[in-house]
Amino acid sequence: MKYVKVLKRVYEPRRLGQAWQQVKKNAGAAGIDQMTVKDFERQKDELLKLIHQKLKAGMYRFKPARRTLIPKESTSKLRKLGIPVVMDRVASQSVNLVFQKIFDPEFTKSNYGFRKGMSQRQAIYHVQGIVLEGYEWCASIDLASFFDEIPHNLILKLIRRKIADEGLVTLIARALKAGTVVNGEFEKTTKGCRSSRQGCNPAGESPAVSVARVGYVVMPHLGAGNQPSYAWCKRPGCPVAFVELRWVQPGGLSSVGA
C-alpha cells in the first residue's frame, strides 16, 4: 500500500505546532538568516501560518544551511555540520513526524537506534539476552560516509516506494538541493544529505533530516527479499552510520541495531 496526500499531513496547523515545540525544545544555533529560536518564538503565530501557506501552495523553498566543522568523535578529523534556518527546521520536523508514522512500522524489533520509545539501554539488554543464548562473536559493519555519499535519486526512489505524493517528493528534493553556505560562499549539494542537515547536533531538525530518517528506515530493504539486511546504530542524539551486529554461534546467527 502506498500513502497518498502525505503533504497535506505535513502542513496541518496542529502538526506544525508540534514540530515547533520540538524545535524549541532542541534549541540550536541560528542559520544563515541569523534568526534564533527565541526570535522565531516572538512571532511564531505569524511564521507558522506562513510555513503552512507556503507548504500548502507548493511554494516552500529551503534556504542553504550554514556550514561549520566540529570535531569528529575519537579521531583528529572534523565533521561537516549544516545548520539550517529555524523555519526550515520546523518544516522538516513536521515531515519527520509524518514519516515516523509511515516508516517506523517497517523496523524489526531488534532496531533500537533513533526511534521514539527506544533507547540504547534497551539495545544493551537485548544484546545481553543474545549473549546468554550462547552467541560469542560480534561483527560490526559500518557504511563509510553514508550521509555524504548517498545519491539523491536513490533517496527519492526509496520514498516513492511507500509514498504516492509528488508534492511531498518535490519538497524533499528541494531540501536536498538547498545547498550550503561556506565562509560566505554558496555551494551546491549534488549528493548526500549531511551538509544540509544538522549532522550530530541533538537538535536534529533540518531541511534534509526527514531524508536521513527515510534512509535509516527503508535502506534495510535493499537486502534480500523483504528482510532487513542491516540495522541502525547511533551515538547519543545522532544517527551516524549503518551498523549490523551479528552474533555468531554454531548453527545460528542473530543481529541487533544499537
Side-chain angles (χ1 to χ4, degrees):
M1 180 189 75
K2 288 191 177 184
Y3 292 82
V4 299
K5 298 182 179 180
V6 178
L7 184 59
K8 185 176 181 179
R9 303 186 195 183
V10 172
Y11 62 69
E12 286 178 354
R14 177 184 60 82
R15 184 165 282 109
L16 287 173
Q18 292 174 341
W20 155 242
Q21 289 301 320
Q22 187 62 51
V23 171
K24 179 182 176 181
K25 178 181 177 182
N26 293 333
I32 61 171
D33 63 357
Q34 299 301 310
M35 177 184 286
T36 66
V37 172
K38 288 185 177 180
D39 292 335
F40 186 99
E41 185 172 22
R42 283 192 282 269
Q43 45 185 328
K44 66 179 179 66
D45 292 338
E46 176 185 344
L47 292 175
L48 288 175
K49 183 177 180 180
L50 179 62
I51 295 171
H52 166 80
Q53 292 173 339
K54 287 191 173 184
L55 287 171
K56 185 176 182 179
M59 296 175 61
Y60 194 90
R61 297 293 188 275
F62 292 94
K63 290 182 171 61
R66 177 168 65 85
R67 168 79 65 75
T68 187
L69 298 174
I70 60 173
K72 192 172 183 180
E73 194 173 87
S74 303
T75 73
S76 59
K77 297 179 180 180
L78 296 176
R79 184 185 298 279
K80 297 175 183 177
L81 176 67
I83 303 176
V85 301
V86 179
M87 285 185 67
D88 289 350
R89 297 182 213 175
V90 174
S92 292
Q93 181 63 23
S94 187
V95 173
N96 174 55
L97 292 172
V98 174
F99 275 16
Q100 281 182 341
K101 292 183 178 298
I102 293 175
F103 291 104
D104 196 71
E106 301 281 321
F107 276 111
T108 63
K109 292 181 179 180
S110 63
N111 281 289
Y112 293 93
F114 215 4
R115 295 178 67 194
K116 186 176 182 180
M118 296 293 192
S119 69
Q120 292 165 306
R121 185 179 297 274
Q122 290 174 318
I124 291 172
Y125 292 152
H126 186 101
V127 169
Q128 288 176 334
I130 291 173
V131 172
L132 291 174
E133 290 176 11
Y135 294 89
E136 298 178 352
W137 290 86
C138 172
S140 177
I141 305 168
D142 184 354
L143 297 186
S145 302
F146 170 77
F147 282 115
D148 296 318
E149 299 296 332
I150 183 169
H152 290 172
N153 62 346
L154 175 58
I155 295 173
L156 301 178
K157 179 180 179 180
L158 293 171
I159 293 174
R160 288 189 175 103
R161 287 187 179 182
K162 294 287 292 183
I163 294 174
D165 185 339
E166 285 305 303
L168 186 280
V169 175
T170 297
L171 181 69
I172 298 302
R174 288 172 180 168
L176 289 168
K177 302 294 185 183
T180 59
V181 172
V182 184
N183 297 324
E185 297 292 329
F186 174 78
E187 290 187 3
K188 292 182 179 180
T189 44
T190 59
K191 63 180 179 179
C193 57
R194 182 181 299 284
S195 60
S196 54
R197 66 185 189 89
Q198 282 221 1
C200 295
N201 188 317
E205 325 82 18
S206 70
V209 71
S210 50
V211 174
R213 294 181 189 268
V214 168
Y216 81 67
V217 175
V218 298
M219 283 295 286
H221 295 277
L222 295 180
N226 293 320
Q227 298 302 313
S229 56
Y230 7 87
W232 185 255
C233 179
K234 77 179 182 78
R235 67 184 187 223
C238 173
V240 291
F242 276 99
V243 171
E244 181 163 351
L245 303 180
R246 292 189 176 272
W247 299 81
V248 184
Q249 70 174 5
L253 185 69
S254 181
S255 65
V256 57

